[in-house]
Amino acid sequence: MRLTTKGRYAVTAMLDLALHAERGPISLADISKRQEISLSYLEQLFSRLRQSGLVSSVRGPGGGYRLARPGAEICVAEIIDAVNESVDATSCGGNSDCSAGEQCLTHYLWTDLSHQIHGFLNGISLADMVARAEVQEVARRQDGRSAALGDNIEQKVAIIGGLQ
């Protein structure tokens, strides 16, 4: 199976958004900091997610992104599809040209597996993921690390300001 970084990052960022939804619009900078994903990469992903109707943007101070629908209505497969990813277990990219332009003996086996994986991911919503205790624990750890990083930066700025 081949699921690239684009699909993984899109799901991770959407899950982060769902976990922090009660805070209002979430900035991509906050997601970038917590998930250690490049801000410019997130901007590209969220452009596609917005075009697919999975997120909406809020402009201005305190702006950012929010889920366009409740997390229970957004499945993982939909996120992957939105960023033009496919869950493909074939070695030919699903193009039926496995071996010298023709299908190999096991092409349909790997195609069926790809459909099974897509179906599995289609049955998991963001709300399902948010409800998992393990996911909640990781989110708490990330939030703590992110807050500590912010405090550390503020302390350094205060020290530098005091030296001037």
Side-chain angles (χ1 to χ4, degrees):
M1 183 189 104
R2 187 179 77 86
L3 178 62
T4 66
T5 303
K6 187 190 311 180
R8 290 178 192 274
Y9 281 179
V11 171
T12 299
M14 287 289 287
L15 183 54
D16 185 284
L17 199 60
L19 283 160
H20 298 94
E22 77 284 349
R23 297 181 186 173
I26 305 299
S27 75
L28 293 184
D30 288 344
I31 296 172
S32 173
K33 190 176 0 174
R34 280 190 297 270
Q35 302 308 323
E36 299 178 355
I37 301 172
S38 145
L39 183 57
S40 62
Y41 200 73
L42 282 174
E43 288 168 348
Q44 293 172 31
L45 291 176
F46 272 75
S47 173
R48 291 183 178 184
L49 294 168
R50 190 174 42 76
Q51 290 170 357
S52 296
L54 297 177
V55 298
S56 60
S57 59
V58 177
R59 295 179 185 258
Y65 286 88
R66 59 173 46 134
L67 299 178
R69 302 191 311 258
E73 297 177 16
I74 300 173
C75 66
V76 172
E78 191 176 5
I79 298 165
I80 293 168
D81 292 343
V83 294
N84 296 324
E85 279 296 291
S86 65
V87 180
D88 181 20
T90 67
S91 61
C92 63
N95 295 323
S96 302
D97 59 355
C98 313
S99 177
E102 296 183 11
Q103 295 170 345
C104 68
L105 282 175
T106 56
H107 177 81
Y108 292 106
L109 170 69
W110 304 128
T111 300
D112 290 348
L113 176 60
S114 297
H115 292 297
Q116 290 289 325
I117 293 168
H118 193 273
F120 171 76
L121 296 175
N122 202 42
I124 301 172
S125 71
L126 286 176
D128 294 334
M129 295 294 297
V130 167
R132 293 187 65 156
E134 305 92 341
V135 170
Q136 298 263 340
E137 179 55 35
V138 170
R140 278 191 291 276
R141 186 185 72 234
Q142 289 174 337
D143 287 345
R145 184 180 65 222
S146 182
L149 241 174
D151 290 345
N152 194 14
I153 290 169
E154 289 172 13
Q155 288 172 353
K156 288 179 181 177
V157 168
I159 291 170
I160 292 169
L163 294 174
Q164 294 178 349

